[in-house]
């Protein structure tokens, strides 16, 4: 971060001449800590602009004075992209005041929103219009659309609808020199040069600040059908996924895999969460179908279950008989990350693999890690799109503090295997600051060279989220 200056009182005075005094916020731990409590940041100023013009004014002032900027959304990121722990104290630029729904265009199946709108607010606005915005995350009540785009968020419905890159048609953003890019196109076809939209999506604030987006909406399924099936292994789960595709086609909204450890953690930390099975299976899949009127989802799920029984893939199952029971199934799944936080992970991994490589990865990584110590592994995630959350915990009754010395060895085991099997060390959480060295190690050299050239060209002063994604 050589050559950058801190956002000190002298800079505050200069900035105050450019923006409304109401933009300034008191320094607060809210903006400087990650959800897991592992990272702690610094800041010289916290600013919350109310419109894109004020964002541009802040960026221009930072560029003129070589002051670093850290964009801040809902603060739910898990890899430190929103937290700068060292270097000159930055301006933390919060999007909390830019949360308007600018346009609802039901005939076009499009909604235009500001970056500070929460994911839940966008879901509710779509629902009010009789449509669906399909991104669904455990943090949807607090995560913001700008952060979802900056990390190319996925969630549970990627199998059917894709990730944020697939759900966005246009972006408004402020570039590192303070220019406003008015790219809120709703066009399906636009071949006018390089795709700046896709460059900014997933860039984690390192190439500019997303201030608004036009997003795709979809017809809302008239009914959801949900089932939990106990499967013998991840291999069996993959075979069942293939048959589910044969039976339900594009109606599959989600296909999740859950290891028994996840249910054990819920029992240990949140006994009020109702578990679906009296005795939790070693592996469970959660299948959800979103269907239109006239389609018999229960019959489809029964066909999938019967196939699983006949082929020796499935040995137990439940089909939700009400909206409430469906909610109970999902409630158990969505509380597993909360239970993880309460137990305290030694190492957490968000990885993706080719589907055929998933069982081998789970088998080999689990065997290698448990040779290090009597560690517990909680593997769960979005099997339909190859995304696993593979987290490692201390033995029952012990805390992670005694095992943190194994963290590097665990991460090396996981990332080496992912790399060997043609996967990615980051499926949906991004690189942030915690995975920068891993990207340097496992990233394709030609790709890394291009990424650094793009960063240098668009942000020659290196003020945009320094230290995130690429090594400083």
């Amino acid at each position: 971060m050589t050559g950058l200056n801190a956002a000190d009182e002298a800079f505050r005075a200069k900035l105050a001449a450019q923006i409304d005094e109401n933009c300034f916020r008191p320094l607060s731990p809210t903006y400087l800590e990650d959800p897991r409590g592992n990272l702690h940041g610094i800041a010289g100023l916290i600013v919350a602009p109310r419109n894109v013009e004020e964002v541009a004014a802040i960026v221009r002032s930072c560029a003129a004075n070589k002051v670093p900027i850290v964009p801040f959304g809902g603060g739910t990121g898990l890899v430190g992209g929103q937290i700068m722990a060292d270097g000159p104290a930055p301006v933390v630029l919060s999007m909390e005041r830019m949360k308007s729904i600018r346009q609802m265009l039901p005939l076009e199946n499009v909604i235009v929103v500001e970056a500070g709108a929460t994911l839940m607010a966008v879901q509710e606005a779509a629902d009010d219009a009789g449509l669906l915005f399909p991104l669904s995350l455990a943090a949807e009540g607090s995560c913001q659309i700008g952060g979802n785009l900056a990390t190319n968020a996925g969630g549970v419905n990627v199998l059917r609808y894709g990730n944020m890159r697939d759900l966005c048609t246009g972006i408004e953003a402020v570039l590192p020199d303070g220019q406003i890019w008015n790219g809120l196109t709703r066009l399906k076809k636009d071949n006018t040069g390089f795709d700046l939209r896709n460059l900014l999506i997933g860039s984690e604030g390192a190439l500019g600040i997303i201030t608004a987006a036009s997003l795709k909406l979809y017809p809302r399924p008239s009914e959801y059908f949900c089932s939990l099936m106990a499967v013998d292994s991840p291999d069996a789960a993959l075979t069942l996924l293939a048959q589910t595709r044969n039976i339900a086609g594009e109606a599959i909204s989600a296909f999740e895999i859950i290891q028994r450890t996840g249910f054990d953690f819920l029992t240990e930390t949140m006994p009020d969460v109702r578990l679906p099975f009296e005795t939790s299976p070693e592996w469970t899949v959660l299948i959800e179908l979103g269907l239109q009127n006239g389609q018999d989802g229960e019959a489809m799920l029964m066909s999938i279950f019967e196939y699983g029984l006949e082929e020796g893939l499935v040995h137990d199952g439940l089909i939700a008989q009400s909206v409430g029971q469906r909610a109970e199934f999902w409630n158990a799944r969505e509380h597993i990350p909360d239970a993880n936080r309460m137990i305290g992970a030694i190492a957490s991994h968000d990885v993706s693999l080719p589907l055929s490589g998933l069982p081998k990865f789970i088998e080999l990584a689990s065997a290698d890690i448990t040779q290090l110590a009597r560690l517990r592994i909680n593997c769960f995630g979005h099997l339909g799109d190859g995304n696993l959350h593979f987290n490692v915990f201390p033995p029952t009754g012990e805390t992670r503090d005694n095992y943190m010395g194994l963290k590097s060895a665990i991460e090396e085991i996981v990332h080496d295997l992912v790399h060997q099997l043609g996967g990615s060390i980051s499926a949906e959480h991004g690189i942030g600051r915690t995975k920068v060295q891993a990207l340097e190690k496992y990233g394709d050299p030609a790709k890394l060279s291009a990424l650094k050239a793009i960063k240098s060209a668009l942000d020659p002063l290196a003020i945009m989220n320094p230290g995130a994604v690429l090594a400083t």
Side-chain angles (χ1 to χ4, degrees):
M1 301 181 193
T2 304
L4 296 182
N5 302 311
D8 55 17
E9 284 301 315
F11 176 73
R12 187 193 192 285
K14 294 177 183 178
L15 187 58
Q18 305 295 319
I19 60 175
D20 191 285
E21 183 67 25
N22 291 326
C23 292
F24 293 96
R25 293 287 186 270
L27 290 174
S28 163
T30 301
Y31 303 97
L32 303 174
E33 296 178 356
D34 81 313
R36 291 173 176 159
N38 296 330
L39 304 172
H40 303 277
I42 59 173
L45 295 173
I46 311 289
V47 294
R50 61 187 172 182
N51 53 50
V52 65
E53 289 77 19
E54 285 188 335
V55 175
I58 292 165
V59 173
R60 285 195 298 269
S61 291
C62 288
N65 294 276
K66 296 185 179 179
V67 171
I69 304 170
V70 175
F72 189 90
T76 60
L78 298 175
V79 291
Q82 75 278 29
I83 294 174
M84 184 170 149
D86 51 37
V91 169
V92 173
L93 197 157
S94 171
M95 302 305 293
E96 65 196 67
R97 296 171 71 200
M98 293 186 61
K99 55 186 179 183
S100 297
I101 307 295
R102 290 189 184 174
Q103 284 182 291
M104 172 61 73
L105 301 159
L107 293 181
E108 298 183 25
N109 283 352
V110 169
I111 185 172
V112 182
V113 305
E114 291 186 330
T118 65
L119 173 55
M120 182 176 288
V122 175
Q123 292 170 339
E124 290 173 346
D127 190 62
D128 289 344
L131 294 166
L132 172 73
F133 183 64
L135 183 68
S136 180
L137 308 171
E140 59 196 29
S142 51
C143 67
Q144 296 177 3
I145 289 298
N148 297 151
L149 287 161
T151 57
N152 189 30
V156 299
N157 293 327
V158 170
L159 177 61
R160 181 169 185 174
Y161 298 103
N163 52 29
M164 279 299 281
R165 195 181 302 282
D166 303 299
L167 299 175
C168 178
T169 65
I171 280 175
E172 173 190 89
V174 175
L175 302 180
D177 61 0
Q179 288 190 86
I180 298 172
W181 175 46
N182 297 297
L184 286 175
T185 178
R186 307 191 303 274
L187 302 175
K188 293 186 182 297
K189 294 182 177 180
D190 182 4
N191 269 334
T192 53
F194 303 140
D195 193 342
L196 186 55
R197 170 183 63 94
N198 269 329
L199 188 60
L200 288 173
I201 295 172
S203 66
E204 302 185 54
L207 299 178
I209 297 172
I210 296 170
T211 54
S214 51
L215 305 172
K216 297 178 185 177
L217 301 179
Y218 291 83
R220 189 173 56 199
S222 58
E223 194 169 2
Y224 288 98
F225 295 85
C226 191
S227 176
L228 287 168
M229 299 187 193
V231 294
D232 289 340
S233 66
D235 259 318
L238 277 181
T239 304
L240 195 67
L241 170 62
Q243 183 64 12
T244 302
R245 283 199 177 104
N246 291 337
I247 292 172
E250 296 301 312
I252 311 171
S253 293
F255 198 102
E256 301 283 295
I257 190 167
I258 305 167
Q259 193 173 22
R260 185 179 63 198
T261 311
F263 292 134
D264 291 345
F265 281 6
L266 290 173
T267 299
E268 188 175 337
T269 62
M270 288 180 278
D272 291 339
V273 174
R274 185 172 178 179
L275 300 185
F277 295 103
E278 186 173 339
T279 301
S280 296
E282 183 61 32
W283 294 101
T284 302
V285 293
L286 188 160
I287 306 170
E288 180 156 280
L289 310 179
L291 301 172
Q292 300 301 333
N293 291 326
Q295 294 181 291
D296 191 341
E298 189 163 343
M300 290 183 187
L301 290 174
M302 278 303 301
S303 294
I304 295 163
F305 178 69
E306 289 166 359
Y307 168 84
L309 280 178
E310 291 170 3
E311 297 297 319
L313 308 172
V314 174
H315 56 268
D316 199 0
L318 299 166
I319 295 176
Q321 298 300 303
S322 66
V323 173
Q325 192 174 24
R326 171 185 173 242
E328 284 182 359
F329 290 178
W330 277 108
N331 189 52
R333 162 61 181 88
E334 295 294 1
H335 275 87
I336 290 174
D338 298 326
N340 284 348
R341 283 190 285 273
M342 295 172 75
I343 298 288
I346 301 165
S348 300
H349 309 93
D350 160 55
V351 299
S352 63
L353 294 114
L355 290 184
S356 60
L358 282 166
K360 185 175 182 181
F361 166 78
I362 293 170
E363 177 188 357
L364 295 178
S366 300
D368 289 348
I369 287 168
T370 51
Q371 284 183 0
L372 297 175
R374 294 180 302 106
L375 302 173
R376 291 182 290 176
I377 294 169
N378 188 10
C379 175
F380 66 102
H382 321 305
L383 185 73
D385 57 58
N387 177 194
L388 291 179
H389 301 297
F390 192 86
N391 304 330
V392 182
F393 298 83
T396 304
E398 300 190 47
T399 66
R400 65 179 179 178
D401 295 343
N402 295 331
Y403 295 88
M404 290 307 290
L406 297 175
K407 180 179 173 68
S408 295
I410 293 168
E411 290 181 343
E412 186 173 6
I413 287 170
V414 170
H415 290 160
D416 280 356
L417 271 172
V418 167
H419 186 63
Q420 291 167 19
L421 294 170
S424 169
I425 61 167
S426 179
E428 61 180 359
H429 291 169
I431 296 298
R433 290 176 173 81
T434 64
K435 291 188 176 182
V436 168
Q437 296 306 316
L439 179 62
E440 288 285 331
K441 179 178 179 180
Y442 298 103
D444 179 88
K447 178 180 178 179
L448 285 172
S449 178
L451 292 180
K452 291 172 183 177
I454 291 167
K455 169 72 171 175
S456 179
L458 291 183
D459 182 22
L461 300 176
I463 63 169
M464 301 304 302
N465 214 7
V469 185
L470 297 171
T472 304

